[in-house]
Amino acid sequence: MSGIVTSKDFVVQSNEVDNHGHLLPEFILSYLQDTAMVQSEKIGMGVKYLKNNEFFWVLTRYHIKVLKYPKYDEAVHVSTYAIGFKKLFAYRDFKITNLKGETMVTAASQWLLIDGKTHKMLKIGDEFYEAYGVNKGEKISTTFDKIPLPEKSVLTRKFKATHRDIDFNGHVNNTRYIAWVIDTIPEEVSNDYTLYEFDIIFKKEVLLEQDITVITDTMNMDNGLKGFHEIKNDQDESVCCISTFWKRNE
């Protein structure tokens, strides 16, 4: 590990849990996002720096593993650090632990730095290596699995991007996509199974008032299910693909 570690503590609120009292996946991502932003602000590479230099970061991939769900009123500790930079990509890891020090959630992520004027990808400069404490030339071992598209539609649901979905970059916040997918899961699955792992690839931004469609397919696995999800915009373009993995409740 080479990057500077930054942490933030949270207490799970009542509006952040499902009917089982488990922290919703969208709020897991929200905790991760908030902690990453805290780090960037602390080291002087936050919102003001990016705005002044007309840069912005775009999240392209997530891989999340839930070993144990944080529950209502539970205090958790979220930590993050930049693994490194490879060509145009930046890599960041996260971990959520409880007060006993037990790992509850792990996450790997991939990002791109974008020019605010041209929207072209930018080479990550030396100033980022120095600020995030990353050793230049260090080998990065993070890999992400291919996410297959749904072969059929078990369930299709439509949504509209509203004001509450939009972040300060002017597009739908990354936490909303997994929330939309969870809303397409059949009730019998959400009652009898628990989501324990998911992969996300973000392909294209979604803007305010755009109509989107979530297409979901499922496949039985040993003692569980795998979900295949594609999110399309109103031009029928694929904007996000997600794989979900569910284990049957004991």
Side-chain angles (χ1 to χ4, degrees):
M1 184 178 77
S2 64
I4 296 169
V5 178
T6 299
S7 301
K8 184 177 180 180
D9 295 330
F10 298 83
V11 177
V12 179
Q13 304 298 303
S14 60
N15 65 306
E16 299 173 341
V17 299
D18 62 15
N19 60 321
H20 303 293
H22 294 162
L23 184 64
L24 287 160
E26 65 187 277
F27 286 104
I28 291 177
L29 299 189
S30 180
Y31 286 11
L32 305 186
Q33 178 178 271
D34 284 353
T35 308
M37 291 187 68
V38 166
Q39 179 178 80
S40 294
E41 295 294 341
K42 280 186 175 181
I43 63 174
M45 306 295 279
V47 174
K48 184 177 180 180
Y49 174 85
L50 295 173
K51 185 176 181 180
N52 288 343
N53 288 277
E54 297 184 297
F55 301 151
F56 61 91
W57 288 105
V58 170
L59 178 63
T60 58
R61 292 297 305 260
Y62 253 142
H63 176 64
I64 311 291
K65 288 186 178 181
V66 181
L67 308 177
K68 183 180 182 181
Y69 270 96
K71 295 185 177 181
Y72 166 63
D73 205 33
E74 184 172 12
V76 295
H77 185 75
V78 184
S79 58
T80 186
Y81 65 96
I83 294 177
F85 309 115
K86 183 179 180 182
K87 296 182 179 178
L88 298 174
F89 292 102
Y91 296 86
R92 173 183 290 280
D93 276 3
F94 301 86
K95 183 166 66 172
I96 300 178
T97 60
N98 58 21
L99 295 186
K100 298 178 182 178
E102 298 170 329
T103 299
M104 307 184 81
V105 180
T106 63
S109 62
Q110 181 188 71
W111 306 71
L112 284 170
L113 187 64
I114 302 297
D115 186 303
K117 288 183 177 179
T118 66
H119 281 220
K120 292 183 178 180
M121 295 178 289
L122 294 173
K123 182 180 178 182
I124 298 169
D126 290 346
E127 68 272 23
F128 288 95
Y129 285 87
E130 181 177 354
Y132 286 98
V134 173
N135 297 323
K136 200 166 187 180
E138 184 167 338
K139 187 176 180 181
I140 298 171
S141 59
T142 301
T143 58
F144 295 92
D145 292 336
K146 183 178 179 181
I147 299 180
L149 297 176
E151 293 185 1
K152 60 184 185 301
S153 175
V154 171
L155 184 63
T156 299
R157 189 167 179 181
K158 295 183 181 295
F159 300 87
K160 181 183 287 289
T162 63
H163 286 285
R164 71 186 184 92
D165 300 317
I166 305 300
D167 62 20
F168 53 73
N169 287 323
H171 53 68
V172 168
N173 189 271
N174 72 79
T175 64
R176 297 302 301 149
Y177 296 88
I178 188 64
W180 285 333
V181 162
I182 296 299
D183 282 343
T184 70
I185 298 299
E187 185 177 359
E188 59 271 20
V189 173
S190 60
N191 287 337
D192 297 339
Y193 294 81
T194 297
L195 178 67
Y196 68 92
E197 187 173 357
F198 54 99
D199 287 286
I200 308 177
I201 180 168
F202 301 97
K203 296 182 174 182
K204 190 177 180 68
E205 65 183 8
V206 175
L207 304 175
L208 180 65
E209 296 297 328
Q210 278 196 302
D211 293 313
I212 64 102
T213 302
V214 181
I215 302 163
T216 290
D217 186 14
T218 59
M219 179 181 71
N220 289 319
M221 301 171 61
D222 291 341
N223 197 37
L225 292 171
K226 182 175 182 180
F228 308 91
H229 317 273
E230 184 178 18
I231 300 175
K232 292 186 174 184
N233 62 18
D234 43 19
Q235 279 81 50
D236 201 37
E237 299 170 317
S238 182
V239 299
C240 181
C241 293
I242 301 178
S243 291
T244 56
F245 301 86
W246 305 74
K247 60 184 176 182
R248 182 177 288 278
N249 298 331
E250 297 180 354

